[in-house]
Amino acid sequence: MKKVIVLLVCAVVLLVGYIVLDRSGIELPIFGANKAYKQGITFYDNKDYDKAFELFKKACNGGDVRGCTNLGAMYAHGFGVEKNEQKAVELYKKACNGGDVRGCTNLGVMYEKGNGIEKNEQKAVELYKKVCNGGEMAGCYNLGTMYAKGSGVEKDFGKAAELFKKACDGGNMRGCRSLGFMYDNGNGVEKNEQKAAELYKKACDGGDMRGCFNLGFMYEKGNGVEKDLGKAAELYKKACDGGNMYGCRNLGIMYKKGDGV
């Protein structure tokens, strides 16, 4: 039963869009707005969301559209302000129209999920293509998930794998993990569990906790790597500590059975 559950989890944890905070460090000629944006990032990282919100608002109103993207993300999550997805959409549109690729990516997520706006998967695909072609790896990853699911486009595992590879090569760890999943299952690429394990490791080392969970499963079952229950438990713990609840669950099962711990 455990094996079935874990396999199902491996299938579902990979294919989700996500909202990104703009952290680009490009200097802009709008000095006051640029300064407010940078200060906002510092306060945001320190979890002082009230101050971050005010600074991103100042940056956005002053012409730094990256501030609009981050302000939208705060409305989308309800950080420092009451959650308002419609307001988030407005801000993402402003940022996207102003040339901020992360604003376009986040707007695509809202269209994909139907959050704050009528669901439109074709529009999401259009936005993801735009930003992916412009070098935004989060957009490439999200576009890959659309092809993998057949959402807004015809299902195409080969195209999905190609986009996940582009995202992975560009430093997007979700892309690495999802490409590993494709190799793990032979979707769009020739099945290669060793390659899958390598990609899960790359994702895990890069901070993607689902990659750690998937790699732990490979070690637990001896798929693509030599079976090592101790290593599996270590990876499940890392995933759990990093916020992946499936890692917590599987680590608990290992303690219950005395496997690797």
Side-chain angles (χ1 to χ4, degrees), residues 208-245:
D208 184 88
M209 293 302 104
R210 290 169 182 172
C212 299
F213 169 80
N214 289 357
L215 182 60
F217 180 74
M218 303 292 274
Y219 274 104
E220 182 182 357
K221 300 303 175 184
N223 297 338
V225 292
E226 186 175 348
K227 186 173 182 176
D228 187 333
L229 295 178
K231 185 67 175 176
E234 178 186 323
L235 285 159
Y236 287 149
K237 183 179 187 306
K238 182 175 181 178
C240 177
D241 291 345
N244 183 281
M245 296 300 102

Side-chain angles (χ1 to χ4, degrees), residues 168-221:
C168 179
D169 291 345
N172 183 287
M173 294 302 103
R174 296 180 183 222
C176 299
R177 178 242 298 162
S178 295
L179 182 60
F181 180 78
M182 306 297 272
Y183 275 107
D184 200 355
N185 292 274
N187 292 336
V189 291
E190 186 175 349
K191 185 179 175 75
N192 186 329
E193 291 180 334
Q194 291 78 14
K195 182 70 174 176
E198 290 173 16
L199 286 160
Y200 290 152
K201 184 178 188 304
K202 182 176 180 178
C204 179
D205 291 345
D208 184 88
M209 293 302 104
R210 290 169 182 172
C212 299
F213 169 80
N214 289 357
L215 182 60
F217 180 74
M218 303 292 274
Y219 274 104
E220 182 182 357
K221 300 303 175 184

Side-chain angles (χ1 to χ4, degrees), residues 18 20 96 99-109 123-147 159-172 175:
Y18 68 110
V20 292
C96 184
D100 187 72
V101 292
R102 290 175 178 85
C104 296
T105 301
N106 289 356
L107 182 59
V109 172
K123 183 65 176 178
V125 167
E126 179 185 321
L127 286 161
Y128 294 153
K129 282 182 178 177
K130 176 182 177 180
V131 297
C132 180
N133 291 337
E136 172 59 27
M137 294 302 104
C140 297
Y141 165 76
N142 286 0
L143 184 59
T145 68
M146 301 298 274
Y147 275 103
K159 183 66 175 177
E162 177 187 321
L163 286 158
F164 290 147
K165 184 178 188 306
K166 182 175 181 178
C168 179
D169 291 345
N172 183 287

Side-chain angles (χ1 to χ4, degrees), residues 45-142:
D45 288 342
N46 290 330
K47 293 183 169 53
D48 190 339
Y49 297 129
D50 290 339
K51 288 182 180 177
F53 177 84
E54 291 304 321
L55 286 160
F56 289 147
K57 183 177 180 180
K58 181 178 179 180
C60 180
N61 292 339
D64 189 335
V65 291
R66 298 173 301 173
C68 302
T69 294
N70 290 1
L71 191 61
M74 297 191 80
Y75 272 109
H77 293 293
F79 291 163
V81 67
E82 186 177 350
K83 185 173 181 176
N84 187 329
E85 292 179 331
Q86 290 79 13
K87 183 66 175 177
V89 168
E90 289 175 19
L91 287 158
Y92 292 150
K93 282 183 177 179
K94 181 176 179 178
C96 184
N97 292 336
D100 187 72
V101 292
R102 290 175 178 85
C104 296
T105 301
N106 289 356
L107 182 59
V109 172
M110 303 303 268
Y111 273 113
E112 180 185 351
K113 306 299 180 184
N115 295 340
I117 197 168
E118 186 176 352
K119 184 171 182 175
N120 188 329
E121 292 177 337
Q122 290 76 20
K123 183 65 176 178
V125 167
E126 179 185 321
L127 286 161
Y128 294 153
K129 282 182 178 177
K130 176 182 177 180
V131 297
C132 180
N133 291 337
E136 172 59 27
M137 294 302 104
C140 297
Y141 165 76
N142 286 0

Side-chain angles (χ1 to χ4, degrees), residues 242-257:
N244 183 281
M245 296 300 102
Y246 300 117
C248 300
R249 180 204 58 198
N250 279 22
L251 181 60
I253 292 172
M254 297 193 83
Y255 273 109
K256 182 178 180 181
K257 298 176 67 177

